[in-house]
Structure formats: C-alpha cells, structure tokens
Amino acid sequence: MNENFPELGLSRSDCIESSWIESVLYWTAYYPPRTPSDVLLHRTPPSLTFLKRKSDYVKKPILKKNLSKIWKKMIELETPYMMFNPYGGKMWEISEKETPFPHRAGNLWKIQYLTNWKVSGFDAENHYIDLTRKLYNYMTPFFSRNPRQAYFNYRDVDLGINLHGKSSYLEGKAFGIKYFKGNFKRLVEIKTRVDPGNFFRNEQSIPVFTKQTA
C-alpha cells in the first residue's frame, strides 16, 4: 500500500488481517476485530441498527476538482458515506449476458451509499433516508445513465416496487433493467416457466409474463 498509495500514510497498525468470516463480522455486523465466529449463533444482535443503501456504477474517472466538491457535500450532509469497490480485471473478460449479473466490462468501480442510524421512529427514518437520497442525487452527473445502473444486493426500493397486479411487468422493468440491464427480459421468461403463479415474490422480485404482457 505504501508503494502504490504513499499519500495515505498507512502503517502496519492501521491494517487488520482477518479471515473472510471475521471480515463479515467486522464489516456487516460491526463486531470488534477478533470476535469469535460463534457469535453468529446468538440470535440477538449487540445493538439495533437501521440502515439505507443505494448504489452506482462509475464508467469514467471523476476529476479531482469534482472529488473536492463531493467531499464538501458529504461534510455538509455529515452522516452518509460512500464505499468504493474496484472492478476490472477478470470481470471485464466475462460477457454481461453470461450470468444474470451484467455489470462487467466498462465499469471502473461500484459505489455503495451507506447511512446507518440507531434511533427508531419515522422522524429519524425520514431524516436519514433523505440525507442518503440527497447524496445520491448530487452524484447524478458522474455515473452511468440510460439507465442509471444499480447493484441488486443493495436493494433500493427508491428505484421502484412491484405490486404484482396487471402492470407487474412494467413495474418490474422500472428497477429490473437497472439491476440486470438486457438480462431482465430473459429472467422474466425463466421466472414465468418455473413459477408461473408467481408464488415466490417480494416488492422487487422478477415478475412473470401475463396474457397482457406476453
């Protein structure tokens, strides 16, 4: 790290070596380093955390002057932050049609917008979700568009929900092409064959073709 990113000024004490499962405890459940993995057997979390997640894909480098503006916006909003996940390498060699996950060649990195809070209630929920949306909206000029793409694992109901009525396909397409791009219709065809009654569904599940949409 010091050879490639000397400006970070990292020392060995800043780094934590861990197994994969230890990293899951640290990053997703906020347990301190070296927490035994059998803590996963406990059904009560150490604290109650509410959260909101959104995502973006970056196809062109962001100019340094624009990064400065982004940092200022984050300071203004205080709570939301971003996590960058680099893409490229082997991912660029796999066709976006080979698996349902399409975000391959051309993406430099993925951004996850994160906001966590511990205060319950609608007022707190609306406040922190609004902060996340403000950061996401501010970032609009820098990211993929037509459609603006998103990562399926960070479920974002802001992109749309499916009520599974007569407009099920169109409702599903609103968020489906952002998650799956050109693979969305193929996923609908598969879903229609294996679950024609749409028994397995949620607010952002793949819809089925009906007589109106087939």
Side-chain angles (χ1 to χ4, degrees):
M1 290 294 290
N2 285 332
E3 290 179 5
N4 296 315
F5 301 101
E7 61 268 30
L8 295 178
L10 289 175
S11 64
R12 183 172 293 275
S13 61
D14 296 315
C15 304
I16 300 172
E17 182 177 356
S18 68
S19 65
W20 176 81
I21 193 63
E22 288 172 337
S23 72
V24 170
L25 291 173
Y26 181 78
W27 281 108
T28 64
Y30 308 107
Y31 285 98
R34 309 307 178 197
T35 298
S37 60
D38 62 6
V39 73
L40 292 171
L41 299 175
H42 302 165
R43 306 313 299 167
T44 302
S47 62
L48 189 61
T49 301
F50 304 92
L51 54 89
K52 174 64 178 176
R53 299 291 186 266
K54 297 179 76 69
S55 58
D56 260 318
Y57 280 96
V58 183
K59 295 183 178 294
K60 296 181 179 180
I62 301 175
L63 298 177
K64 185 179 290 187
K65 65 178 183 180
N66 289 330
L67 285 173
S68 297
K69 294 177 182 178
I70 293 169
W71 306 152
K72 289 179 181 179
K73 187 64 176 180
M74 293 180 70
I75 292 171
E76 173 192 326
L77 297 175
E78 293 186 347
T79 307
Y81 60 103
M82 294 186 288
M83 183 181 296
F84 292 9
N85 297 102
Y87 277 36
K90 188 67 177 178
M91 289 185 68
W92 280 30
E93 300 175 17
I94 302 172
S95 167
E96 66 179 39
K97 296 181 179 180
E98 189 166 331
T99 70
F101 180 84
H103 308 292
R104 307 280 184 178
N107 292 303
L108 300 177
W109 71 87
K110 177 189 70 197
I111 287 187
Q112 177 185 178
Y113 303 92
L114 307 89
T115 303
N116 299 334
W117 65 96
K118 296 183 180 296
V119 181
S120 62
F122 287 112
D123 289 342
E125 176 183 316
N126 291 333
H127 172 69
Y128 289 108
I129 290 178
D130 183 60
L131 291 178
T132 315
R133 289 169 177 162
K134 285 180 177 177
L135 180 58
Y136 177 82
N137 291 336
Y138 184 82
M139 302 294 286
T140 300
F142 308 116
F143 300 121
S144 60
R145 52 181 63 89
N146 299 323
R148 188 173 183 177
Q149 298 164 28
Y151 181 48
F152 183 63
N153 280 19
Y154 305 152
R155 283 299 176 86
D156 182 7
V157 294
D158 291 346
L159 303 180
I161 61 172
N162 196 337
L163 299 177
H164 302 287
K166 293 182 179 179
S167 301
S168 179
Y169 178 78
L170 292 178
E171 290 173 349
K173 186 177 180 180
F175 54 82
I177 59 172
K178 296 175 182 179
Y179 290 138
F180 303 111
K181 298 178 64 177
N183 297 331
F184 173 71
K185 186 175 181 180
R186 183 156 54 105
L187 290 170
V188 175
E189 292 171 349
I190 295 170
K191 167 79 172 183
T192 303
R193 289 202 302 268
V194 301
D195 183 19
N198 199 23
F199 178 81
F200 297 100
R201 64 183 184 269
N202 58 47
E203 70 273 17
Q204 281 198 337
S205 58
I206 299 294
V208 297
F209 281 125
T210 63
K211 292 181 180 179
Q212 289 82 7
T213 58

